Amino acid sequence: VAKLAAALEGVVLYLRNEVYMPVIGHGGEKYIPFCLTLFFFIAIANLLGLVPYGSAAAGHIAVTATLAVITFIVVEVAGMKALGKGYLGTIVYWPHDMPVAMKLPLTLVMTPVELIGKFTKPFALTIRLFANMIAGHVIILALIGLIFMFGALAALAAIPMALFIMFLELLVVFIQAFIFSLLAGVFIGQIRAAHH
């Protein structure tokens, strides 16, 4: 148990100091627990999908959408806290180094683009995690389905390939947990630095 705790502490410290802190930026320590929670929730919930008769949580669009909405809220609240009134600048595009005749048309065109950009991030997080987690399961099911289509002889090839994909899924679980939590940290860091 002590060795497991030490290994887990090493993982947490690495993620905190080498991954999340550089992308969130100075003063962003309070967002580290959120990113770590995302990482461990996604990793553990999806590892359960590799257990026989288990189900990967991120294989359901409702779970990935909920995680993305929570991330969206945390990102926007982080922006409001860090920027104050300047947060409106992340919604309404208003260039400061141009004449007014140029500012108005640019504001009318770019403000909807900025607003759409805010909502595409959580949508992309949702689809990326869902698609990557469901893809491995679909491939495994297709390989196992070959046995039923072509008979027991197909099992000689289908079962080793399905086992290989399952071992690959172990890697994918951690990669997807890492990417989702890293992107959450990047989005928090971007909005907190939006006034620079």
Side-chain angles (χ1 to χ4, degrees):
V1 176
K3 289 181 180 180
L4 178 64
L8 199 57
E9 183 181 356
V11 169
V12 169
L13 287 174
Y14 171 76
L15 289 171
R16 179 192 187 282
N17 297 330
E18 304 298 326
V19 178
Y20 302 131
M21 281 306 296
V23 296
I24 293 175
H26 181 70
E29 292 86 5
K30 58 188 164 222
Y31 301 105
I32 301 294
F34 173 71
C35 293
L36 285 168
T37 301
L38 280 176
F39 176 81
F40 285 108
F41 174 79
I42 294 168
I44 292 168
N46 290 327
L47 282 173
L48 293 175
L50 297 176
V51 174
Y53 302 107
S55 175
H60 302 283
I61 194 86
V63 174
T64 60
T66 303
L67 288 172
V69 167
I70 292 168
T71 302
F72 173 75
I73 292 167
V74 169
V75 168
E76 296 307 311
V77 169
M80 290 174 198
K81 283 183 174 181
L83 304 175
K85 291 179 183 176
Y87 173 77
L88 288 175
T90 67
I91 299 170
V92 178
Y93 182 80
W94 188 254
H96 297 287
D97 55 348
M98 293 182 174
V100 176
M102 288 297 294
K103 285 182 183 181
L104 289 175
L106 272 174
T107 298
L108 290 174
V109 171
M110 291 302 293
T111 298
V113 171
E114 294 282 340
L115 203 54
I116 290 168
K118 281 192 176 294
F119 293 101
T120 56
K121 288 176 186 173
F123 179 74
L125 284 174
T126 299
I127 300 302
R128 176 186 291 116
L129 182 58
F130 170 71
N132 281 307
M133 292 316 300
I134 204 77
H137 299 310
V138 169
I139 292 170
I140 291 168
L141 285 173
L143 289 169
I144 299 301
L146 291 174
I147 298 169
F148 297 102
M149 287 177 64
F150 300 109
L153 193 60
L156 294 174
I159 290 177
M161 287 191 289
L163 286 172
F164 173 74
I165 297 295
M166 286 190 82
F167 281 115
L168 201 59
E169 281 281 290
L170 269 173
L171 186 63
V172 169
V173 162
F174 290 105
I175 290 172
Q176 290 309 313
F178 178 78
I179 289 172
F180 194 100
S181 61
L182 175 63
L183 287 174
V186 167
F187 295 154
I188 292 168
Q190 280 179 336
I191 201 160
R192 289 179 72 245
H195 62 288
H196 293 307

